[in-house]
Amino acid sequence: MRRPTRSTSSTRSSSTSWSGGCCSSSAPFSYLVDYFGLQGYLRWSLILIFMMLKAGLIVAVFMHMAWERLALIYAIILPPLLVLVFVALMVSESNYVLFTRLTFFGGGE
């Protein structure tokens, strides 16, 4: 007795349309950040969060990464994440360097 096989094309097309809808519906949130006049770290953190969410959806669905092997996912996703970690480390280091310079060389007095 054969079991009927399920077609993955319908699953992929429905998830593709779902992710396209998510990308389209998350775009207004990026514009609302400017509309509400948010400033400073809150503004830039929200913009970066929405950007990463949209990029993750694009990579996961349109590049079919949701159905690929884990090694390939790590090969594509892990390097940008490591770059973000290194950027965070550099920001922390720059604050320390600024503090040290102001402490030992004076603040322009």
Side-chain angles (χ1 to χ4, degrees):
M1 210 189 261
R2 287 179 69 189
R3 292 190 320 179
T5 59
R6 291 177 50 185
S7 172
T8 59
S9 64
S10 65
T11 305
R12 286 186 181 179
S13 65
S14 66
S15 63
T16 302
S17 62
W18 179 83
S19 67
C22 286
C23 284
S24 299
S25 64
S26 67
F29 291 116
S30 297
Y31 294 117
L32 284 175
V33 170
D34 288 330
Y35 180 75
F36 287 126
L38 299 176
Q39 297 294 322
Y41 288 121
L42 177 64
R43 173 187 176 173
W44 290 109
S45 61
L46 286 174
I47 288 174
L48 289 175
I49 287 170
F50 291 136
M51 178 188 69
M52 293 300 282
L53 285 174
K54 287 189 277 188
L57 281 170
I58 290 169
V59 167
V61 177
F62 294 118
M63 292 178 65
H64 305 288
M65 292 298 289
W67 301 281
E68 294 296 328
R69 296 180 59 170
L70 191 60
L72 185 60
I73 291 172
Y74 283 153
I76 303 241
I77 302 295
L78 194 60
L81 288 177
L82 290 176
V83 167
L84 288 174
V85 168
F86 289 138
V87 166
L89 289 172
M90 286 186 284
V91 167
S92 173
E93 182 72 18
S94 69
N95 288 334
Y96 172 73
V97 169
L98 178 64
F99 172 74
T100 305
R101 286 184 178 180
L102 290 177
T103 301
F104 291 107
F105 297 124
E109 295 173 8

